[in-house]
Amino acid sequence: MPQAAFNPIPPILTAQNPNWYILGAGAIGCLNAGRLSSSGCNVTLLMRKGTLQTSLPIIIDRDGTRTTQRLPVVTPDNCKPISHLLITTKAYDVHDAVASIGHLLRKNSTAVLMVNGMGIAEQLRKDWPHLHFYLSTTTEGAYSIAPQHIQHTGQGETRIGRQGQNAPPPWFHQWSRAIDSCFWDDNIESALWAKLAVNCVINPLTALHNCSNGELGQRQELTEHVATLCNEVSNITHAAGFEQIAAALPQRVASVIAGTARNRSSMLQDVEGGRRTEIDYITGFLLRVADQFGIDAPYNRALIQDIKNNAH
Ligand code: KPL
């Protein structure tokens, strides 16, 4: 495979170009660590206590080309104070992972949360009220082949925002240069909900029926499940105040199914890999909102139970 190697000279730290610590070196963490680093950002991987390596190669395969970059590694025991953090762990690991580095975070440290599902930011804001949290959602296609070795399967879009902040912070300029299709979104809650609604339909169905995203649009018994689920998710979405997202949901789901037809959803990959799924932060979050509005959601309730019975 053709190789492209990057060995950037460490850049000077400024408010526009701070040192980014990556918490969660899975597919999305490595993809963004690699891109930020190759565009000249200082990037350090934050690994678990006990990690002995002081640097690790990040390998990204894309369209038959391999890019390898060696990035510095620190652990919570030997890390300097953190001013800028990117969180890319599994949803259910976020809280403990942040707690493990809590002593390194400073008043007003910046943390970008790029995690599947919803409901995590509220908890983080409660427990670390002094941090500046930014929320992010991405449609990048990437999966891990081995630790820190990822396959980048599809160019997606990354949106970042912070409630009540219209203009991006100084560091965002560097991100928009480093990451293709990376946008500042002054309505990030809507972007997160739009992604959540799609994930509520595609992820549990593909995980339960062990099928690719595309099969949801092809097999008749599955297209019926998709329609029923879209209807229920759309009602809850409407009640939560996202009327446009609710109205467009069936078309949006159909277009994601077509656009990612050969993908296996992240939830199906978790089930196949014997890992815990993120269902509590996807369907589970949706059901908590349904309860607030007194909406019956029998189909979603059955799905979450099936996933927990069969896959956890
Ligand atoms: O986000 C996804 C996921 O798998 O988690 C979709 C959009 C369904 C693509 O597979």
Side-chain angles (χ1 to χ4, degrees):
M1 189 178 284
Q3 308 268 330
F6 290 92
N7 263 329
I9 299 160
I12 297 160
L13 299 182
T14 62
Q16 288 77 19
N17 194 6
N19 195 357
W20 282 96
Y21 287 87
I22 314 293
L23 187 61
I28 293 297
C30 286
L31 182 65
N32 287 298
R35 287 157 148 184
L36 288 169
S37 168
S38 60
S39 85
C41 292
N42 260 300
V43 178
T44 303
L45 301 178
L46 252 169
M47 304 298 275
R48 281 176 210 281
K49 258 183 173 178
T51 304
L52 297 175
Q53 291 95 328
T54 53
S55 70
L56 279 172
I58 299 277
I59 305 169
I60 302 173
D61 292 344
R62 168 102 206 247
D63 298 335
T65 299
R66 174 163 297 174
T67 307
T68 306
Q69 283 166 277
R70 189 163 271 280
L71 296 184
V73 167
V74 292
T75 70
D77 291 334
N78 65 8
C79 182
K80 291 187 183 146
I82 295 173
S83 65
H84 289 76
L85 178 70
L86 170 61
I87 306 168
T88 48
T89 64
K90 286 285 184 188
Y92 47 78
D93 280 334
V94 170
H95 195 272
D96 286 356
V98 175
S100 75
I101 55 154
H103 60 291
L104 300 165
L105 297 168
R106 294 293 172 259
K107 196 169 183 296
N108 298 339
S109 289
T110 289
V112 177
L113 185 63
M114 193 181 285
V115 174
N116 270 345
M118 286 181 80
I120 304 152
E122 292 69 22
Q123 186 63 46
L124 293 178
R125 282 194 207 105
K126 218 158 78 195
D127 291 349
W128 289 279
H130 55 288
L131 297 185
H132 279 258
F133 283 106
Y134 289 81
L135 304 183
S136 173
T137 177
T138 182
T139 54
E140 290 288 358
Y143 63 86
S144 295
I145 300 171
Q148 291 84 52
H149 180 182
I150 68 158
Q151 178 74 44
H152 187 194
T153 51
Q155 174 64 58
E157 197 180 88
T158 299
R159 297 194 160 265
I160 302 181
R162 182 163 196 249
Q163 226 174 355
Q165 185 170 327
N166 293 333
W171 52 263
F172 182 77
H173 180 63
Q174 186 74 36
W175 278 54
S176 61
R177 279 189 12 203
I179 301 173
D180 290 334
S181 302
C182 180
F183 304 104
W184 177 256
D185 194 325
D186 58 13
N187 193 1
I188 193 68
E189 288 293 326
S190 284
L192 290 170
W193 192 286
K195 173 95 189 323
L196 177 92
V198 167
N199 285 144
C200 281
V201 178
I202 297 180
N203 292 29
L205 285 179
T206 50
L208 274 180
H209 295 276
N210 186 22
C211 65
S212 65
N213 294 357
E215 282 173 78
L216 293 181
Q218 285 152 6
R219 286 168 42 194
Q220 202 202 328
E221 77 281 14
L222 295 180
T223 60
E224 283 165 16
H225 286 306
V226 168
T228 315
L229 204 44
C230 271
N231 199 26
E232 232 179 68
V233 175
S234 182
N235 285 343
I236 302 164
T237 301
H238 191 276
F242 300 101
E243 291 88 357
Q244 285 179 5
I245 297 171
L249 187 62
Q251 293 95 301
R252 189 187 276 263
V253 166
S255 122
V256 174
I257 286 175
T260 62
R262 288 166 61 194
N263 269 30
R264 297 176 82 70
S265 76
S266 56
M267 196 172 287
L268 174 56
Q269 287 179 46
D270 285 341
V271 171
E272 287 176 327
R275 292 183 294 272
R276 181 177 163 186
T277 72
E278 296 175 303
I279 192 84
D280 286 331
Y281 299 87
I282 297 176
T283 309
F285 177 82
L286 185 86
L287 285 171
R288 289 193 287 282
V289 176
D291 286 343
Q292 280 168 23
F293 290 98
I295 297 175
D296 197 17
Y299 198 73
N300 278 283
R301 248 173 252 290
L303 267 186
I304 199 170
Q305 225 27 72
D306 286 348
I307 291 281
K308 288 187 174 210
N309 293 343
N310 297 327
H312 276 236

